[in-house]
Amino acid sequence: MQIIRKGAGYVKKHGLLRTLKKVRRHLLLRSLQNHQRPAPEKAHAAKTLRFIEKRQRQFSAVWDEQTARALIGTDDPVIWQDFFGTAHQPVPADRWIEQDARRDFLLRPMCWVMEESRWDERLHAAGHIRKTADEARALCWPSLGSCMVQVSFSDELPERIVPDAIRVLVSDHDAPGFDLCVRDDETAFDRIHIFCKARWLRLLAEAEDEPSCKATIVLCTYKRLDAAKAALEKMIAQDASDYEVLVVNNDPASREMPAIVQSFADERIRYIDCPYPGLSAARNFSLYEARGSILLYVDDDGLMEPDCLRLLIAAFDAHPDTDVIGGQILLKEPERFAHVILPGYEALWSQRSATHPEYYEALTDADFPYGCSYGIRRETARRMGGFRITYGRMGKDFAGGEEMVLSHLVKRDGGKVGIEPRAIIWHDVEPSRYTLEHVQKTMRASRLTNRLMKLDLYKPWDEGWREEKLLLEAAQDHLEELKREGVQPDDLRYPYCLYEVQASKEALSEGSKA
């Protein structure tokens, strides 16, 4: 490739960041020009095997075909394979997204409402949670998509805590009113798990609630009370009409967030808890609770300009064939941290600068919107299966990529992605994140997420691992040039470049193990 053949001279003249962007853009555009040739079957098989391994951590019982089909309620061979298959079976291309969404749902956590702790070890191994009835009732759940099962070991029928909760009796005899009765044996846990997941998949597929407002701003928050309050103040001050704000609290153990919501006394703000850890889980909780036809996800440290929502709604209206539209994200007062921010690398703190002054289509993931400003049509988000739970921030780690995956799925489905740069959100990053440690860990997480998206077949397959190799070569060339120039380690260019090299090496190393 010409950029790399020019080597260190090109990097020295134009800078590492520009070189890396050119490499990515060139490869991705070429993938589009090649019509995104499908990945080889061996790549699909490898992904299936990884899914089967994860699924077996949650349920592994084997039954006769009649019993198994009765549990999931279908004879569809594709669905059957996802629940019980132990080997890869090719799936029609037009059902790939459907299957991918179902597999993601099968791996999602469940909330088991039960007083006994007999299954705690299995619940923990499967990534599930257990709550007592009183603990579950204390939370504010969505009306659909709760993934709650109420397990009883007596004939007394419990009151349904949420509309889609499934009531199960574990006993040696049946009783009226329960959704499922299972024998109290070693297969009970797996029977419940499979029956509930199949039932919820049908409920979600059959959901027909119509939007009742134009847009929903979704604020998912985790232990950032002051920041979330400031974000809410900007959200209710939008100069748009016919919208609501849905707050999803990913730290339900603390009851301070609902108190903050109540303090606004604004009927446009609604609140739910999400007891499942992770940003993707919280965002998925909004999919069937939001009433807007457009969903705008804004981080709890994002401050919207007053016209932000109105401009994004107008962009969706003007481009009916576009499913995802994001705005411009700018760092608030970045000059305070000039000692850490190397110019051009503001994206490490989620800045998304626009490449054009007016609306434009994002052709590659280098331009896809993310994080603090991600708008998507509600119907599209549901059809794609929401945000993949193997991606996204968990607590205060450095993971991400769930929005990028969703945009890739939209593109695969024939949709479009756009950017409205006039819709601005200021990212008020907490000062503790302006460190070189943050730079290093974010670069590493970004590169590993990029690798994972290829393994999971979300990104175009055409170039395989060539992108990573080219990025590593560019970073290594630049690092050698800095050394020849005698650049000292306290010069920001040196650690940034060193971290790029380390991140690329790790991504290639991990990719070679797959």
Side-chain angles (χ1 to χ4, degrees):
M1 182 176 166
Q2 189 177 14
I3 294 175
I4 296 300
R5 284 200 298 269
K6 290 182 178 180
Y10 184 93
V11 177
K12 181 178 179 181
K13 179 179 179 181
H14 298 287
L16 176 62
L17 185 67
R18 184 175 172 186
T19 303
L20 298 179
K21 286 183 176 179
K22 274 187 169 291
V23 169
R24 290 192 178 104
R25 191 175 296 277
H26 178 88
L27 291 172
L28 290 168
L29 284 174
R30 192 161 73 181
S31 292
L32 290 172
Q33 293 164 0
N34 291 340
H35 306 293
Q36 294 185 203
R37 292 192 301 272
E41 195 60 28
K42 65 179 182 180
H44 287 276
K47 177 174 180 175
T48 297
L49 291 176
R50 291 193 298 274
F51 162 71
I52 290 173
E53 181 182 347
K54 294 176 182 176
R55 187 198 60 201
Q56 288 177 339
R57 297 174 195 162
Q58 297 193 328
F59 55 86
S60 57
V62 178
W63 300 293
D64 62 89
E65 184 172 322
Q66 182 178 359
T67 302
R69 290 185 186 277
L71 276 175
I72 62 174
T74 181
D75 291 328
D76 188 309
V78 176
I79 298 177
W80 173 263
Q81 277 295 319
D82 289 340
F83 274 91
F84 301 107
T86 57
H88 171 66
Q89 296 290 335
V91 63
D94 61 352
R95 296 194 68 181
W96 191 89
I97 293 177
E98 168 208 322
Q99 182 190 60
D100 189 74
R102 180 170 50 253
R103 287 178 172 182
D104 181 77
F105 189 84
L106 289 178
L107 298 177
R108 291 183 190 179
M110 292 167 48
C111 178
W112 297 66
V113 179
M114 50 192 292
E115 308 302 320
E116 297 191 22
S117 60
R118 63 161 76 179
W119 289 336
D120 278 5
E121 186 175 341
R122 292 203 64 178
L123 290 172
H124 178 74
H128 297 175
I129 62 175
R130 179 176 71 87
K131 292 190 177 296
T132 66
D134 288 342
E135 290 172 338
R137 289 192 186 93
L139 301 182
C140 184
W141 298 80
S143 57
L144 192 61
S146 69
C147 288
M148 178 194 293
V149 54
Q150 296 177 238
V151 180
S152 176
F153 295 90
S154 71
D155 293 354
E156 184 178 353
L157 184 66
E159 179 184 355
R160 209 183 298 271
I161 295 176
V162 292
D164 67 342
I166 296 175
R167 294 178 293 187
V168 176
L169 172 64
V170 180
S171 177
D172 291 330
H173 62 275
D174 296 346
F178 286 92
D179 300 292
L180 176 68
C181 298
V182 298
R183 296 294 175 262
D184 193 357
D185 58 25
E186 66 277 3
T187 68
F189 182 89
D190 284 350
R191 287 173 182 266
I192 295 170
H193 191 171
I194 293 171
F195 175 87
C196 290
K197 285 292 178 70
R199 169 75 71 87
W200 287 320
L201 280 168
R202 290 195 296 272
L203 285 175
L204 296 180
E206 295 166 0
E208 296 180 349
D209 56 310
E210 293 294 326
S212 59
C213 62
K214 186 67 176 180
T216 298
I217 303 174
V218 182
L219 174 66
C220 298
T221 182
Y222 177 76
K223 294 186 176 182
R224 289 200 285 213
L225 299 173
D226 292 338
K229 183 177 181 179
L232 275 172
E233 290 172 349
K234 296 294 185 180
M235 291 174 181
I236 62 174
Q238 293 296 294
D239 62 12
S241 59
D242 195 26
Y243 75 96
E244 64 169 0
V245 178
L246 179 62
V247 177
V248 186
N249 182 15
N250 208 195
D251 179 32
S254 170
R255 306 316 294 164
E256 295 178 79
M257 195 62 224
I260 290 175
V261 170
Q262 292 174 1
S263 70
F264 280 88
D266 192 316
E267 62 182 11
R268 292 173 299 175
I269 304 177
R270 294 191 298 119
Y271 173 92
I272 56 175
D273 290 301
C274 178
Y276 307 119
L279 181 55
S280 290
R283 286 177 165 172
N284 286 332
F285 249 40
S286 71
L287 287 185
Y288 292 88
E289 186 68 18
R291 298 167 180 167
S293 60
I294 296 168
L295 308 180
L296 175 61
Y297 292 92
V298 180
D299 289 348
D300 57 6
D301 53 2
L303 303 174
M304 303 174 68
E305 284 289 312
D307 60 354
C308 180
L309 180 60
R310 174 173 54 81
L311 289 168
L312 286 171
I313 290 175
F316 274 105
D317 289 343
H319 302 87
D321 59 345
T322 301
D323 294 288
V324 174
I325 300 177
Q328 190 167 192
I329 306 170
L330 302 176
L331 294 181
K332 183 182 178 183
E333 302 178 17
E335 62 277 1
R336 294 180 297 162
F337 307 100
H339 62 288
V340 174
I341 303 176
L342 185 64
Y345 281 87
E346 291 84 0
L348 293 171
W349 292 272
S350 300
Q351 176 160 300
R352 168 62 82 199
S353 300
T355 57
H356 304 287
E358 297 183 348
Y359 178 91
Y360 61 94
E361 182 181 354
L363 296 177
T364 74
D365 66 359
D367 293 322
F368 284 174
Y370 55 64
C372 206
S373 180
Y374 188 84
I376 185 169
R377 299 186 191 275
R378 189 183 73 162
E379 187 274 332
T380 301
R382 291 182 176 184
R383 191 174 70 253
M384 297 297 105
F387 298 90
R388 300 300 184 257
I389 61 165
T390 50
Y391 296 79
R393 180 169 293 235
M394 189 77 70
K396 293 185 178 295
D397 65 13
F398 292 81
E402 71 279 11
E403 315 98 323
M404 306 295 282
V405 168
L406 192 49
S407 292
H408 277 297
L409 288 168
V410 166
K411 296 279 283 187
R412 187 185 185 116
D413 194 49
K416 294 181 179 180
V417 179
I419 296 290
E420 174 48 83
R422 293 168 294 186
I424 296 174
I425 293 179
W426 295 93
H427 197 196
D428 191 12
V429 181
E430 57 187 51
S432 63
R433 291 172 59 188
Y434 284 103
T435 64
L436 286 179
E437 180 186 18
H438 173 90
V439 173
Q440 183 180 28
K441 291 184 176 181
T442 302
M443 283 185 177
R444 175 183 179 275
S446 175
R447 203 57 57 81
L448 292 178
T449 298
N450 189 53
R451 155 201 163 261
L452 185 59
M453 285 193 288
K454 293 175 185 176
L455 289 175
D456 286 341
L457 309 181
Y458 297 126
K459 291 195 68 171
W461 181 262
D462 299 51
E463 299 299 333
W465 299 103
R466 188 163 182 247
E467 177 190 7
E468 298 295 343
K469 293 177 180 177
L470 292 174
L471 293 174
L472 175 59
E473 290 176 20
Q476 288 175 325
D477 280 349
H478 189 48
L479 185 61
E480 290 302 316
E481 183 66 28
L482 293 176
K483 290 178 179 178
R484 286 193 293 270
E485 292 178 5
V487 173
Q488 298 300 308
D490 58 354
D491 185 317
L492 284 180
R493 292 176 296 167
Y494 190 91
Y496 271 68
C497 188
L498 179 62
Y499 299 155
E500 286 273 12
V501 171
Q502 293 172 346
S504 292
K505 284 184 176 180
E506 186 168 356
L508 281 170
S509 174
E510 291 295 321
S512 66
K513 299 175 185 176

